[in-house]
């Protein structure tokens, strides 16, 4: 502490400040130096043009006259604390020489950035040791395409808003594809929200089934309001929107020649002619929910937790968690939705199969319960996931008059037993050990055991095996707690 005075501490800081060495102060080099200085980075600029160097110095830059290709150049520069060297000459050969001159004189932690005129030069620079090589034409092109996308997206937002404003006071049918998935459902929900913001009342209509358990859970957990097409004739609406599908009668129940107001979809349209007043099809996107998220952003519409969760789940399922047909737009939409979403619900949706098995096991446990005094024992039969047992044992504790529960089931090799108790007279862990041997244990209020099926392996059919297991477990447990089994 005492070895640094305030002054020496300051000077330490200034020498430690990382510096960027810019070689070549053409339009790119100078623009970059300016940007780096704006974000408070230290830069040193080298250029062979003396007048230019003079001007740079007048503007307060640290600048040196030098030739990038000159092998003596590195010796003229203080290379301490250099974090990156940027070779920015428009002449690729000059940059290559520069890379060769500097590469062995600086630590491998120093990043070497270089400008190349074409892909061949880029590869040559990379093999010379450049860490990052860019081609100005490509950088400009990709920046332009991003700007274009932004402008387009603003334009589309305006067009959709205009269309909806023209529909104000009327009723809109939002038709999503048959047997809708989370992408279709969440996209329909988003359009409904946008419409509501612009004074248009809408219903989401579908035909078929909300099939998978996951999709049912999705609709239920988020409380999404959908109507069956059979119950709401689309003919009774003033306008119609097709979402996550594009052609009347194709993957939806609309009559083939229906007049459509809006189509928003991400499926490649193929050869079919799409007819609608407003069409937005973006086949490069992984999900229609991504397109809808863009609209919500563009139109500055408040995204509720439910809507954000739905759209995020829609994007994730349609892109299979960004593993299939994913566009950067899908990722940016997802990252926009992420902080707005309900992660507890998303987590529940991610483990639906287990939740459903838990329900099945719970159902079995309730059906097969055997109550002896305040003890409840239940054999749930075959199980795949042993974690469902403690959940069932927990749940059954809420039944009236029950102070101890024991739920057991059988996998291919073992009997698993799980118990809960709030009976202060017994220590369930002890009882389990007494009843089922050393592979048992736990606490006074929560315990478990497992028994290899070896003992029963001679049993031919599964039904008989389950019956024998049941008899043995119930008997052993009741013996351990000192209760006579009634009626045996
Ligand atoms: Mn889709």
């Amino acid at each position: 502490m005492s070895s640094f005075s305030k002054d020496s501490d300051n000077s330490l800081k200034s020498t430690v400040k990382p510096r960027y060495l810019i070689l070549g102060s053409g339009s790119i080099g100078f623009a970059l130096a300016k940007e780096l200085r704006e974000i408070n980075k230290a830069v040193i600029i080298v250029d062979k043009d003396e007048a230019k160097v003079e001007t740079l110095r007048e503007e307060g830059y640290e600048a040196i006259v030098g030739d990038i290709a000159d092998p003596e150049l590195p010796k003229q520069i203080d290379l301490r604390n250099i974090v990156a060297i940027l070779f920015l000459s428009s002449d690729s050969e000059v940059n290559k020489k520069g890379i060769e001159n500097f590469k062995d004189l600086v630590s491998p932690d120093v990043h070497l950035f270089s400008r190349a005129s074409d892909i061949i030069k880029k590869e040559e620079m990379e093999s010379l040791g450049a860490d990052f090589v860019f081609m100005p034409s490509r950088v400009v092109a990709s920046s332009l395409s991003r700007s274009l996308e932004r402008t387009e997206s603003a334009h589309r937002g305006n067009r959709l808003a205009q269309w909806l404003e023209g529909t104000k006071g009327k009723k809109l049918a939002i038709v999503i594809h048959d047997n809708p998935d989370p992408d279709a459902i969440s996209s329909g929900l988003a359009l409904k929200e946008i419409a509501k913001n612009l004074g248009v009342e809408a219903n989401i209509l579908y035909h078929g089934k909300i099939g998978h358990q996951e999709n049912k859970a999705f609709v239920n957990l988020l409380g999404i309001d959908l109507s069956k097409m059979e119950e709401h004739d689309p003919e009774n609406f003033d306008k119609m929107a097709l979402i996550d599908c594009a052609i009347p009668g194709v993957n939806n129940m609309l009559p083939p020649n229906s007049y459509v107001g809006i189509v928003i979809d991400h499926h490649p349209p193929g050869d079919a002619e799409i007819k609608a007043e407003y069409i937005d099809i973006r086949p490069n996107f992984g999900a229609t929910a991504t397109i809808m998220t863009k609209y919500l952003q563009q139109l500055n519409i408040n995204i509720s937790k439910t809507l954000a969760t739905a759209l995020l789940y829609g994007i994730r399922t349609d892109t299979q968690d960004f593993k299939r047909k994913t566009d950067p737009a899908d990722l940016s939409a997802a990252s926009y939705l992420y902080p707005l979403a309900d992660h507890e619900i998303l987590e529940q949706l991610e483990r639906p199969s287990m939740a459903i098995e838990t329900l099945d096991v719970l159902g079995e446990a309730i059906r097969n319960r055997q109550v002896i005094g305040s003890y409840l024992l239940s054999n749930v039969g075959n199980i795949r996931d042993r974690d469902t047992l403690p959940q069932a044992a927990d749940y059954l504790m809420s039944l009236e008059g029950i102070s101890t529960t024991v739920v057991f089931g059988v996998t291919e090799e073992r009997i698993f037993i799980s118990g809960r108790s709030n009976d202060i007279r017994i220590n369930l862990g002890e009882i389990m050990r007494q009843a089922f041997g050393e592979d048992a244990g736990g606490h006074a209020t929560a315990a478990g055991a497992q028994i290899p099926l070896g003992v029963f392996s001679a049993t031919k059919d599964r039904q008989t095996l389950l019956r024998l297991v049941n008899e043995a477990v119930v008997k052993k447990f009741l013996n351990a707690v000192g209760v006579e089994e009634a009626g045996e």
Side-chain angles (χ1 to χ4, degrees):
M1 182 73 225
S2 60
S3 60
F4 289 112
S5 74
K6 202 164 183 267
D7 278 352
S8 69
D9 197 20
N10 271 343
S11 70
L12 186 73
K13 260 184 206 155
S14 68
T15 55
V16 161
K17 190 165 184 177
R19 299 182 307 160
Y20 295 76
L21 178 58
I22 295 179
L23 304 177
S25 180
S27 53
I28 296 178
F30 181 62
L32 183 64
K34 220 168 135 189
E35 280 220 4
L36 288 173
R37 189 159 79 167
E38 265 163 31
I39 53 172
N40 204 21
K41 308 269 191 201
V43 293
I44 313 169
I45 308 169
V46 177
D47 201 281
K48 60 179 183 220
D49 181 338
E50 272 176 51
K52 206 182 258 174
V53 167
E54 195 50 44
T55 314
L56 285 167
R57 283 181 182 157
E58 275 162 20
E59 288 184 30
Y61 287 96
E62 188 178 344
I64 301 169
V65 178
D67 180 352
I68 303 173
D70 177 6
E72 299 298 310
L73 177 64
K75 290 181 199 152
Q76 301 165 31
I77 301 166
D78 175 6
L79 291 172
R80 281 176 307 165
N81 305 321
I82 293 284
V83 288
I85 305 177
L86 302 106
F87 303 89
L88 300 182
S89 164
S90 56
D91 185 336
S92 293
E93 289 306 319
V94 166
N95 289 335
K96 276 167 62 187
K97 289 222 178 68
I99 295 168
E100 284 179 308
N101 295 342
F102 276 91
K103 165 184 80 181
D104 296 327
L105 297 173
V106 294
S107 124
D109 293 336
V110 174
H111 288 279
L112 305 181
F113 282 61
S114 186
R115 167 180 176 177
S117 52
D118 59 57
I119 191 81
I120 304 206
K121 296 278 189 282
K122 179 176 191 275
E123 279 164 11
E124 287 169 355
M125 288 169 188
E126 279 163 351
S127 60
L128 284 175
D131 298 291
F132 178 82
V133 182
F134 69 95
M135 290 177 280
S137 55
R138 294 276 177 93
V139 174
V140 171
S142 85
S143 152
L144 277 181
S145 95
R146 271 198 304 277
S147 305
L148 197 62
E149 201 173 290
R150 266 197 300 276
T151 327
E152 252 178 39
S153 156
H155 176 72
R156 287 188 197 273
N158 293 337
R159 286 274 286 116
L160 179 65
Q162 258 170 28
W163 189 92
L164 285 166
E165 265 153 16
T167 313
K168 198 172 256 170
K170 297 187 176 149
K171 280 200 75 181
L172 173 67
I174 299 172
V175 177
I176 56 180
H177 65 66
D178 287 351
N179 310 314
D181 56 16
D183 185 36
I185 295 168
S186 64
S187 297
L189 206 58
L191 183 60
K192 186 175 171 173
E193 183 64 27
I194 295 170
K196 194 179 110 192
N197 270 265
L198 293 162
V200 178
E201 196 194 322
N203 279 69
I204 305 170
L205 308 184
Y206 76 100
H207 170 77
K209 273 195 191 137
I210 295 174
H212 297 291
Q213 298 289 1
E214 290 90 328
N215 295 353
K216 272 185 207 152
F218 169 73
V219 170
N220 291 340
L221 283 172
L222 291 172
I224 297 173
D225 186 19
L226 302 172
S227 309
K228 281 259 184 193
M229 189 119 52
E230 291 81 344
E231 290 156 21
H232 291 259
D233 188 348
E235 297 283 313
N236 297 336
F237 289 81
D238 302 304
K239 291 278 183 182
M240 201 146 39
L242 269 179
I243 299 297
D244 207 27
C245 55
I247 301 163
V250 177
N251 204 17
N252 58 68
M253 276 295 278
L254 289 182
N257 284 317
S258 306
Y259 185 78
V260 179
I262 304 177
V263 168
I264 302 176
D265 192 12
H266 70 122
H267 298 98
D271 295 333
E273 192 196 347
I274 309 228
K275 282 185 250 168
E277 292 169 17
Y278 176 64
I279 301 170
D280 182 0
I281 298 179
R282 306 191 216 182
N284 54 318
F285 283 14
T288 300
T290 298
I291 306 176
M292 299 315 297
T293 305
K294 300 254 163 215
Y295 278 119
L296 289 161
Q297 283 176 274
Q298 199 57 51
L299 297 171
N300 225 344
I301 289 171
N302 186 41
I303 303 180
S304 70
K305 203 172 206 177
T306 300
L307 183 54
T309 312
L311 287 167
L312 182 54
Y313 191 64
I315 297 171
R316 288 182 41 180
T317 51
D318 250 38
T319 60
Q320 283 173 356
D321 270 321
F322 312 108
K323 290 193 281 285
R324 179 185 75 176
K325 213 192 119 192
T326 306
D327 187 88
D330 298 311
L331 293 167
S332 73
S335 73
Y336 183 79
L337 296 167
Y338 189 85
L340 308 173
D342 185 329
H343 295 276
E344 244 168 70
I345 285 187
L346 285 172
E347 213 168 282
Q348 276 173 278
L349 290 170
E350 269 159 30
R351 296 185 279 108
S353 51
M354 195 200 122
I356 281 142
E357 199 189 343
T358 307
L359 281 184
D360 285 344
V361 166
L362 201 53
E364 282 297 304
I366 293 169
R367 237 187 327 276
N368 302 338
R369 68 189 187 276
Q370 309 157 58
V371 177
I372 300 115
S374 68
Y375 297 103
L376 181 153
L377 291 97
S378 188
N379 173 16
V380 298
N382 300 315
I383 53 164
R384 275 186 299 147
D385 181 1
R386 55 188 279 199
D387 291 340
T388 53
L389 297 176
Q391 294 178 48
D394 250 344
Y395 181 82
L396 293 171
M397 284 295 286
S398 60
L399 295 186
E400 212 183 330
I402 299 300
S403 63
T404 304
T405 59
V406 174
V407 179
F408 52 101
V410 182
T411 64
E412 281 308 309
E413 289 126 29
R414 278 163 191 276
I415 306 167
F416 286 99
I417 306 166
S418 183
R420 293 288 184 268
S421 179
N422 58 18
D423 187 337
I424 50 166
R425 294 164 306 170
I426 68 168
N427 180 326
L428 196 59
E430 279 304 313
I431 303 248
M432 288 276 196
R433 260 189 296 277
Q434 229 174 294
F436 306 115
E438 53 190 52
D439 252 355
H443 312 287
T445 56
Q450 42 179 294
I451 309 164
L453 268 184
V455 213
F456 302 98
S457 55
T459 317
K460 282 194 189 70
D461 69 296
R462 198 76 182 168
Q463 267 331 100
T464 314
L465 174 108
L466 290 175
R467 190 171 51 77
L468 291 175
V469 163
N470 187 59
E471 280 169 14
V473 171
V474 171
K475 193 177 194 134
K476 279 176 189 283
F477 182 81
L478 293 180
N479 276 344
V481 285
V483 173
E484 285 290 309
E485 202 173 348
E488 270 292 307

